[in-house]
Amino acid sequence: MISVGNYNQRLNEAQKDKELETISTHDELTGIHNMRYFMKRAQKMLNKACENGKSLTFLYFDIENFKTYNERYGFIKGNELLVKMATYIKGEYSHGETARLSDDHFVVLIDDDEPQKGIDVIQKRLSDIEGETFLRIKAGIYKTNGMKKDGSGPEDISLLCDRARFAATSIKNKSDKSYCIYDEKLHEQQLRKRYIISHIDSAIENGHIQIFYQPVMDAKKGSVCGLEALARWKDPQYGLLSPGEFIEALEEFRLIHKLDKHVIKLVCEDIRAAMKVKDKPLHVSVNLSRLDFDLCDIAQDIIDNAKDIPRDLLVIEVTESTLNESHTELKKAMERIRRDGFKIWLDDFGSGYSSLNVLKDYDFDVLKIDMRFLEDFGKSDNLRPILENIIRMAESLNMHSLAEGVETKEEYDFLKDLGCDMVQGYLFSKPLILDDLKIFLESDTYRKHTILTG
Ligand code: C2E
Ligand code: MG
Ligand code: MG
């Protein structure tokens, strides 16, 4: 016979077991399944689909700007948003397996192949949250029969989720897209990305990273007053890779400092060589990534590499987005670079959310106006007053102004008229390897510009 006391104890134990089971299968915050449980369930669904020759669809969800939302409204509101998101996803895909993987990342596995409608509904519900029109979801869709390519058995679940994730990541910053379907093209991109990550060390060792130099022009004189160093990867397998392709991959896998340190080294070598030939060679600016400040002591690296180089010959460019978050270490590192005598230029000004805050918190010598402004040239009457005021503001903050992406003579004349100090763009020259740059500086095209404008 079980006594009442024993019965209660067993009941408590059973409840505890149930709670423990829930903890191990459910996400504590949102109450939907967690990654571990999802993987188990998904494996079962996959095995069954393989047996029956049916296809499955993996969905990966990410809330764009979630970090900004958290910063703006605090942790509690951020958590509330995640709970809402989980409810919306679960509501739309109740027939499938749903889970929160981590942070603002969710995954769904369903056996239908028309999941887009659900995504639209989730986006709409998210936008309907009062005042949150800036919240966007990015969903990745991967349809699969679940089999390995060689037909030897079911594919690895994490690989399949990763394909859906890759599709979602591929539309980051594309405001007109809320979902993307993983296809052959994306598969090729994903392979290239993996290649970049696993070959950065050998690319550096084997001299596949090259520096291209783009001339920066004095707007009034129309002559070259400096150069910007832009990295290129000349790969034996893929040919010439542009930064658009490898910077993002290196940043995502926190390897960007390897490239940037190498670029600084190569540029310093080129400056040293130029100093042997000319008394006063052109100054060169190098681009840093925000992550350089986290991943290495970039200030020390610059100082060490440029030991014997006059401070006015090497310039540091940091993008506005680098400085979005207030970060004491980063600020200290920037101050150290400036204290050591290097100039710091603010790149891509006007491209992000916090351009003006950045100017309040940091000191710069030059403000590089983002080239997207010029995309509206001739299309918007507002462009003139906007650029005019940016240039005046730079002046009043003791900064010079530089406009990037100048492609036509009309744009150049317009900027000169507004009093912009420097210009850079294809009108003058594309980024060139050192030998071609030397030819350019001696060429008729360059002289023609100088004569035209001088
Ligand atoms: P950025 O620093 O703003 O560099 C300017 C980009 O605009 C360069 O692209 C340049 O080739 C391109 N450009 C210049 N003039 C024109 C023009 O008239 N029209 C158009 N449409 N484009 C023009 P690139 O070389 O592809 O570099 C892209 C970005 O990659 C750079 O933007 C920079 O942020 C980053 N990057 C390049 N090299 C490095 C590097 O060594 N380290 C790091 N961290 N980032 C780098
Ligand atoms: Mg730059
Ligand atoms: Mg720029």
Side-chain angles (χ1 to χ4, degrees):
M1 263 258 287
I2 313 173
S3 70
V4 175
N6 268 348
Y7 176 78
N8 280 342
Q9 192 185 342
R10 281 201 196 167
L11 195 66
N12 279 344
E13 275 165 13
Q15 263 170 353
K16 265 188 206 151
D17 283 350
K18 193 147 182 45
E19 274 169 25
L20 278 177
E21 199 186 302
T22 309
I23 289 172
S24 68
T25 55
H26 287 69
D27 172 47
E28 221 179 316
L29 174 70
T30 60
I32 63 172
H33 286 145
N34 60 21
M35 176 166 73
R36 230 178 86 201
Y37 188 72
F38 175 83
M39 292 297 179
K40 239 163 81 186
R41 294 278 305 161
Q43 190 65 60
K44 275 194 187 151
M45 281 175 76
L46 197 69
N47 294 348
K48 212 162 146 202
C50 285
E51 271 170 37
N52 303 337
K54 290 216 166 116
S55 66
L56 289 174
T57 303
F58 282 83
L59 298 173
Y60 182 95
F61 287 91
D62 185 358
I63 309 177
E64 200 166 53
N65 300 327
F66 180 66
K67 216 164 156 237
T68 318
Y69 185 89
N70 244 344
E71 279 162 10
R72 198 180 283 180
Y73 300 110
F75 209 58
I76 295 176
K77 277 262 176 204
N79 279 352
E80 282 172 16
L81 181 68
L82 292 177
V83 174
K84 279 185 190 151
M85 181 71 179
T87 317
Y88 302 158
I89 292 177
K90 184 103 186 117
E92 283 310 305
Y93 302 107
S94 55
H95 54 298
E97 197 47 54
T98 49
R100 177 172 168 235
L101 290 187
S102 62
D103 309 313
D104 57 324
H105 308 145
F106 297 83
V107 68
V108 174
L109 180 56
I110 40 175
D111 54 14
D112 59 27
D113 53 13
E114 292 295 333
Q116 288 92 325
K117 210 174 124 242
I119 297 172
D120 292 340
V121 175
I122 296 168
Q123 175 60 68
K124 168 120 191 22
R125 295 192 71 181
L126 208 64
S127 313
D128 283 348
I129 301 176
E130 211 178 324
E132 301 319 331
T133 46
F134 78 99
L135 285 174
R136 291 268 167 283
I137 47 167
K138 297 291 165 197
I141 303 173
Y142 179 52
K143 295 176 190 178
T144 173
N145 64 10
M147 279 297 229
K148 281 188 177 148
K149 261 215 167 112
D150 60 5
S152 62
E155 196 43 285
D156 181 1
I157 295 284
S158 52
L159 187 117
L160 304 177
C161 285
D162 202 46
R163 290 187 178 157
R165 186 191 63 81
F166 192 81
T169 323
S170 73
I171 48 168
K172 232 179 176 175
N173 302 326
K174 291 190 181 152
S175 56
D176 57 332
K177 286 199 166 170
S178 56
Y179 68 85
C180 172
I181 300 173
Y182 188 91
D183 56 10
E184 268 309 309
K185 210 172 125 216
L186 276 189
H187 185 58
E188 178 56 28
Q189 270 181 29
Q190 199 178 16
L191 292 181
R192 275 167 94 109
K193 201 169 192 175
R194 282 212 199 109
Y195 180 88
I196 287 165
I197 301 311
S198 53
H199 286 77
I200 180 66
D201 288 325
S202 58
I204 290 174
E205 271 161 37
N206 299 328
H208 296 154
I209 303 295
Q210 293 189 342
I211 308 296
F212 276 52
Y213 291 97
Q214 186 175 34
V216 174
M217 316 292 287
D218 179 312
K220 269 197 212 100
K221 293 185 192 154
S223 55
V224 178
C225 62
L227 302 167
E228 175 170 14
L230 295 156
R232 299 286 182 268
W233 179 327
K234 217 172 171 188
D235 188 73
Q237 185 174 331
Y238 285 110
L240 197 66
L241 298 171
S242 72
E245 208 159 350
F246 57 83
I247 302 277
E248 199 187 302
L250 293 175
E251 286 189 335
E252 190 182 330
F253 288 82
R254 300 175 72 81
L255 295 168
I256 186 72
H257 60 302
K258 294 192 176 197
L259 173 86
D260 287 344
K261 283 167 74 159
H262 186 60
V263 167
I264 292 167
K265 180 172 156 265
L266 294 179
V267 166
C268 286
E269 282 168 12
D270 284 347
I271 295 178
R272 252 178 240 118
M275 281 163 61
K276 286 196 182 130
V277 190
K278 271 191 160 182
D279 283 347
K280 189 103 191 65
L282 295 163
H283 64 67
V284 182
S285 61
V286 290
N287 292 280
L288 294 189
S289 158
R290 182 214 175 299
L291 290 175
D292 292 335
F293 293 90
D294 291 342
L295 297 170
C296 65
D297 188 351
I298 197 73
Q300 192 59 48
D301 198 74
I302 293 165
I303 294 166
D304 290 347
N305 268 289
K307 250 189 225 126
D308 50 348
I309 289 176
R311 292 315 189 226
D312 56 347
L313 292 191
L314 183 69
V315 170
I316 306 302
E317 283 190 23
V318 291
T319 51
E320 180 188 289
S321 58
T322 305
L323 312 163
N324 260 346
E325 305 144 51
S326 67
H327 187 323
T328 0
E329 289 309 311
L330 187 148
K331 203 164 181 194
K332 272 193 211 155
M334 297 236 316
E335 278 163 9
R336 191 150 153 245
I337 294 170
R338 275 191 116 224
R339 224 181 311 119
D340 209 73
F342 299 101
K343 297 231 168 6
I344 301 188
W345 292 10
L346 179 61
D347 204 358
D348 301 343
F349 178 79
S351 60
Y353 291 112
S354 55
S355 314
L356 295 173
N357 260 338
V358 164
L359 288 180
K360 177 171 72 56
D361 297 337
Y362 297 85
D363 292 322
F364 301 97
D365 303 282
V366 170
L367 194 137
K368 288 188 88 165
I369 303 167
D370 193 66
M371 68 177 81
R372 267 169 282 182
F373 281 104
L374 283 184
E375 282 171 11
D376 289 332
F377 184 77
K379 292 184 210 151
S380 160
D381 292 341
N382 295 341
L383 187 65
R384 175 176 275 272
I386 291 173
L387 288 183
E388 199 163 20
N389 279 295
I390 292 179
I391 293 165
R392 290 294 92 76
M393 179 183 65
E395 234 170 56
S396 62
L397 292 170
N398 282 326
M399 282 188 271
H400 289 289
S401 50
L402 190 166
E404 290 188 277
V406 181
E407 292 184 356
T408 64
K409 178 86 170 61
E410 290 70 35
E411 290 168 355
Y412 172 39
D413 289 340
F414 167 75
L415 288 157
K416 210 164 42 153
D417 188 43
L418 292 181
C420 188
D421 298 310
M422 289 175 276
V423 280
Q424 181 181 349
Y426 294 166
L427 172 66
F428 309 101
S429 167
K430 290 199 167 180
L432 302 166
I433 51 166
L434 202 54
D435 286 345
D436 290 344
L437 176 76
K438 285 176 189 161
I439 297 171
F440 168 78
L441 291 175
E442 300 295 321
S443 74
D444 282 350
T445 336
Y446 171 51
R447 285 214 199 91
K448 198 172 81 198
H449 275 306
T450 321
I451 296 161
L452 251 176
T453 56

